[in-house]
Amino acid sequence: MKLLTILRDDAVKRCWTGVFIQALQELGDFEMVRNGDELSEKQRVALIRGCDVLLTAWDSMPIPLQIVENPGNLKYICNVTGTIRQWVPLELIESGLPVTNWGDALSVGIAEGAMALLLSTLKDIHEQVERVEAGGWGAIEGFCGGTLYKLHVGIYGMGVIGRRFVELIRPFEPILHVYDPYVTELPEDCIREESLETLCRHSEALVIHAGLSEETRGSITAELLALLPDHAPVVNTARGAIFNQQALFAELESGRLRAGLDVLEPDLLPVDHPARKWPNVIFTAHHISRTHPTYGQEPTRLERYQEVCLENLRRFQAGEPLQFVFDRERYLRST
């Protein structure tokens, strides 16, 4: 089995770790082409047509459309990470060539991160830590606090991450409200909401687990945020663009809402932005899902998403069904 990846420049160390590359080499003839942006499109097409499986990831070169018309020996595209739109054209999905990604691999880490942000925001941990560091002690004036017990928690999106989040939060005995028009069956005891308006109207905390699409982009508006009660925690570990960020920041700057935000739009907060000093916001800079610590050293074990990739490659080699295969609908709904 001939495996190929074409990287835009050099390898992203977080993905192409030594232990992962070794596992790929044990499965087949693995070739990593660096500085793919220096190759002509004709050269890239020839390389891709000569492999059995093309591996893509965060640092991949886009797949030329010529591959749709003539894939050559290429029989499978295994996207090691989650996002695919930047390098896999929709036409390839529609051509019937199988394309997979990491599926539910990050559900554990992201759901844990959402729980951490929700509890930290609800308990005002950020403010309390700053008070102690500044020499204070005791309760903060205007301290909000809160408990998940019987709290009406609104969940926007009930995919694999949303379902894992429900498993984690259920022991705290909140009342769970869910909006996801694409899911036919909800986890037990979840209350289905028919619109984002009713979700926000019935929620005392809001947690985002929806994917980013044209439908969800900017879908949490100023009008919806206004429906949340004062001091309601808002948690986003999905995509920043799901919010009207200007409206969200206006609510946070005024102090009316609290938030734990792992993602923004764009996903970087300027150094001098006043939001960095707002006491009612926790920013985790799109790193809340980090898993095994390496302390700067070369990882010695595989990440879950790498294991998903390797399992799919084994399945492909054995002629077994692949996991997490894209179709047109999933492609259009994914980030």
Side-chain angles (χ1 to χ4, degrees), residues 24-270:
L24 290 170
Q25 290 171 336
E26 291 172 358
L27 278 176
D29 177 15
F30 174 62
E31 181 182 6
M32 177 183 286
V33 177
R34 294 178 169 87
N35 301 313
D37 53 355
E38 297 179 3
L39 300 175
S40 68
E41 188 168 284
K42 183 178 180 179
Q43 289 174 311
R44 286 190 284 122
V45 167
L47 284 169
I48 294 171
R49 286 176 176 163
C51 72
D52 298 306
V53 181
L54 179 66
L55 301 175
T56 54
W58 292 304
D59 48 357
S60 293
M61 289 294 295
I63 300 174
L65 282 174
Q66 292 97 306
I67 298 300
V68 177
E69 302 168 2
N70 177 13
N73 294 329
L74 180 67
K75 302 176 186 67
Y76 169 37
I77 298 172
C78 181
N79 191 64
V80 183
T81 50
T83 301
I84 70 167
R85 286 197 184 190
Q86 290 90 325
W87 37 86
V88 180
L90 176 59
E91 290 84 350
L92 263 175
I93 305 293
E94 295 175 329
S95 74
L97 192 72
V99 179
T100 64
N101 75 341
W102 63 17
D104 62 359
L106 260 65
S107 62
V108 174
I110 296 178
E112 286 176 350
M115 273 299 303
L117 285 174
L118 178 58
L119 283 169
S120 298
T121 304
L122 188 65
K123 302 294 184 182
D124 297 312
I125 298 297
H126 181 55
E127 288 187 84
Q128 196 65 49
V129 168
E130 288 190 345
R131 177 178 175 81
V132 172
E133 288 178 346
W137 200 256
I140 303 169
E141 184 179 350
F143 185 84
C144 298
T147 176
L148 288 175
Y149 180 70
K150 301 302 181 187
L151 186 75
H152 289 265
V153 177
I155 304 173
Y156 181 13
M158 192 47 61
V160 291
I161 298 172
R163 290 177 184 275
R164 176 70 70 163
F165 178 78
V166 168
E167 293 174 8
L168 295 178
I169 198 174
R170 183 172 278 138
F172 294 91
E173 300 183 54
I175 301 168
L176 301 177
H177 302 257
V178 175
Y179 174 70
D180 190 328
Y182 296 100
V183 172
T184 56
E185 294 184 9
L186 296 180
E188 186 179 357
D189 298 330
C190 288
I191 301 169
R192 181 183 294 276
E193 298 293 346
E194 298 302 324
S195 68
L196 281 173
E197 179 181 352
T198 60
L199 180 73
C200 293
R201 193 179 296 279
H202 295 156
S203 299
E204 298 170 299
L206 181 64
V207 183
I208 309 300
H209 289 307
L212 181 62
S213 65
E214 290 309 309
E215 182 179 354
T216 62
R217 184 180 296 274
S219 55
I220 303 295
T221 62
E223 291 76 16
L224 292 175
L225 290 170
L227 296 175
L228 296 172
D230 290 352
H231 310 298
V234 174
V235 171
N236 189 7
T237 56
R239 285 290 185 266
I242 291 174
F243 280 88
N244 174 331
Q245 189 161 288
Q246 183 177 357
L248 176 61
F249 273 24
E251 290 277 21
L252 296 174
E253 186 174 23
S254 72
R256 198 185 76 79
L257 297 178
R258 297 177 283 174
L261 304 176
D262 189 51
V263 288
L264 297 173
E265 181 61 30
D267 210 7
L268 176 65
L269 197 62

Side-chain angles (χ1 to χ4, degrees), residues 299-314:
T300 57
R301 55 184 172 181
L302 294 165
E303 292 280 359
R304 169 63 181 145
Y305 68 89
Q306 295 167 335
E307 291 175 347
V308 169
C309 167
L310 294 170
E311 173 60 22
N312 261 337
L313 290 174
R314 294 188 191 100

